[in-house]
Amino acid sequence: MIVLGIETTCDETAAAIVRNGEEILSNIIFSQAANHREFGGVFPELASRLHIEKIIPVMETSLKDAHVSLDEIDLIAAAKGPGLLGSILIGLNCAKALALAKDKPFLGINHVEAHLYAAMMQNEKKFPALGVVISGGHTMLLIIETIGIYKPLGSTIDDAMGEAFDKVASILDLPYPGGPEIEKIAKMGDPEKFKIRPAKVKERPLDFSFSGIKTKLLYLAKGQGANRLSPSIISNEEKYNLAAAFQKTIFDDLIDKVLLAIEKFDCQAVYVGGGVSNNQTLKELFNKKCPISFFFPKKTLSLDNAAMIAGLAYWKYKEKEISDSLGIAAEARISFS
Ligand code: KG4
Ligand code: ZN
């Protein structure tokens, strides 16, 4: 079964062709990150406009690279959310129009669930498993009974982990997206020079909170009571140390919660998805501390991409063989299902 996947929930315009949920025939991603950098984050209106410009060429390239014609596609899938409404609508409507014109089945896919599937894609699938989603918009732990059946265990009560990376990067005057920048300078720093403690969420040991750490970082970098626009009062060396301390604090917190979840629940493996799973230091920490098999997405699948959308769509369609209505809506927020 050959699936065309489309992804436009945030600032990547992406299309991919995947056979039987695993074999990636093409995976085309146009990242708008450079276009948004001067705004210090994603500028929604600009994102929508760039999706409109890029979606057709990106889709055409995905078909060409895969050596597949539109007639050979068995299913068309697009991310239906969560994300920026104006952006989602472009990919979703494009998929619906193609499905209608070519009389193909169509599925709307949850982008966050697809991030989790990215960790399973082309990897051994062992269930029940612990799922860890760490992206720019979401942070959660859940039990994966099988693909499509999940039981939430915990989530963030404020910022998402990637969002915390981006905000701390902005405090340290690093460009957007901040995660890779923090990872880079943290390598030059000593994580023990600043003491930052992870926040505990009262009576909810598997929940996360990052906003307190972010404020602590702000005051350390710019002075007590400072705001985001205040000038920095630290040296470059201290900046590296702060980045290292921040990264270590939140990754130690994450691994402690993963270990707690594995201890409490029956888990055959851990699957870690979402943009922060791109971080090499985090993988090394899992290598050191995780006692059971764990899987991260392949490099090309960790950030926003359409191969994870097409891959997950295959499993969803295989289960019921029912096409979604072309009337389904784009959703800025979706509960996990
Ligand atoms: O999953 P994703 O591409 O988009 C969402 O669905 O949100 O995640 C993007 C997030 C950004 O916040 C970015 O800073 C973070 O993932 N990220 C990283 C790294 N690469 C991307 N965070 C930490 N370390 C990285 N190497
Ligand atoms: Zn994403």
Side-chain angles (χ1 to χ4, degrees), residues 67-131:
H67 304 289
V68 164
S69 73
L70 208 43
D71 290 327
E72 290 170 285
I73 298 290
D74 300 303
L75 171 68
I76 298 172
K80 64 178 175 185
L84 303 169
L85 268 187
S87 289
I88 301 165
L89 277 170
I90 291 148
L92 189 63
N93 284 344
C94 201
K96 287 177 182 178
L98 272 181
L100 185 65
K102 287 287 178 183
D103 195 21
K104 308 273 184 192
F106 154 80
L107 280 189
I109 294 293
N110 179 333
H111 173 90
V112 178
E113 186 181 357
H115 268 307
L116 198 53
Y117 177 66
M120 300 175 218
M121 197 166 180
Q122 301 180 343
N123 282 326
E124 204 181 328
K125 294 168 189 57
K126 301 202 267 190
F127 305 123
L130 178 68

Side-chain angles (χ1 to χ4, degrees), residues 213-254:
I213 301 174
K214 183 190 64 196
T215 308
K216 167 108 185 169
L217 254 289
L218 174 69
Y219 292 169
L220 285 170
K222 305 193 170 200
Q224 193 65 28
N227 64 50
R228 249 170 30 91
L229 299 175
S230 309
S232 175
I233 56 162
I234 53 170
S235 66
N236 271 345
E237 193 187 332
E238 286 171 315
K239 194 161 142 176
Y240 303 156
N241 293 339
L242 262 186
F246 164 74
Q247 183 173 263
K248 183 174 184 331
T249 305
I250 61 171
F251 285 170
D252 283 352
D253 182 40
L254 176 66

Side-chain angles (χ1 to χ4, degrees), residues 7 12 24 27 29 111-112 114-123 132-137 180 183 272-280 282-283 295-309:
E7 156 63 43
E12 267 84 27
I24 300 173
N27 186 15
I29 305 167
H111 173 90
V112 178
H115 268 307
L116 198 53
Y117 177 66
M120 300 175 218
M121 197 166 180
Q122 301 180 343
N123 282 326
V132 181
V133 178
I134 40 175
S135 70
E183 178 175 18
V272 186
V276 184
S277 71
N278 198 30
N279 187 299
Q280 200 54 40
L282 179 64
K283 271 177 234 172
F295 301 94
F296 279 60
K298 305 249 152 49
K299 200 83 190 154
T300 49
L301 299 176
S302 59
L303 299 175
D304 284 353
N305 68 87
M308 67 184 188
I309 304 292

Side-chain angles (χ1 to χ4, degrees), residues 161-317:
M161 189 180 281
E163 188 182 358
F165 266 94
D166 293 337
K167 286 180 175 169
V168 165
S170 148
I171 291 168
L172 299 179
D173 300 317
L174 299 166
Y176 169 84
E181 301 292 327
I182 297 258
E183 178 175 18
K184 212 187 296 166
I185 67 165
K187 287 194 169 68
M188 301 184 279
D190 177 352
E192 306 302 334
K193 290 278 182 206
F194 288 99
K195 291 275 166 274
I196 306 170
R197 274 204 306 275
K200 298 242 176 303
V201 182
K202 212 173 163 195
E203 286 165 21
R204 287 153 65 181
L206 296 176
D207 277 353
F208 300 85
S209 168
F210 301 118
S211 72
I213 301 174
K214 183 190 64 196
T215 308
K216 167 108 185 169
L217 254 289
L218 174 69
Y219 292 169
L220 285 170
K222 305 193 170 200
Q224 193 65 28
N227 64 50
R228 249 170 30 91
L229 299 175
S230 309
S232 175
I233 56 162
I234 53 170
S235 66
N236 271 345
E237 193 187 332
E238 286 171 315
K239 194 161 142 176
Y240 303 156
N241 293 339
L242 262 186
F246 164 74
Q247 183 173 263
K248 183 174 184 331
T249 305
I250 61 171
F251 285 170
D252 283 352
D253 182 40
L254 176 66
I255 197 81
D256 284 351
K257 284 167 185 167
V258 164
L259 297 182
L260 181 64
I262 294 173
E263 199 183 291
K264 273 176 107 168
F265 302 94
D266 174 25
C267 300
Q268 305 297 310
V270 185
Y271 294 94
V272 186
V276 184
S277 71
N278 198 30
N279 187 299
Q280 200 54 40
T281 314
L282 179 64
K283 271 177 234 172
E284 285 159 17
L285 186 63
F286 267 78
N287 254 326
K288 224 187 283 169
K289 294 221 169 151
C290 185
I292 62 173
S293 325
F294 64 89
F295 301 94
F296 279 60
K298 305 249 152 49
K299 200 83 190 154
T300 49
L301 299 176
S302 59
L303 299 175
D304 284 353
N305 68 87
M308 67 184 188
I309 304 292
L312 177 60
Y314 162 80
W315 293 97
K316 295 253 156 178
Y317 192 72

Side-chain angles (χ1 to χ4, degrees), residues 48-76:
S48 310
R49 286 169 188 234
L50 289 170
H51 284 310
I52 290 174
E53 263 177 43
K54 294 291 175 187
I55 188 67
I56 303 287
V58 161
M59 237 164 41
E60 282 174 344
T61 310
S62 75
L63 288 163
K64 193 164 149 258
D65 277 19
H67 304 289
V68 164
S69 73
L70 208 43
D71 290 327
E72 290 170 285
I73 298 290
D74 300 303
L75 171 68
I76 298 172

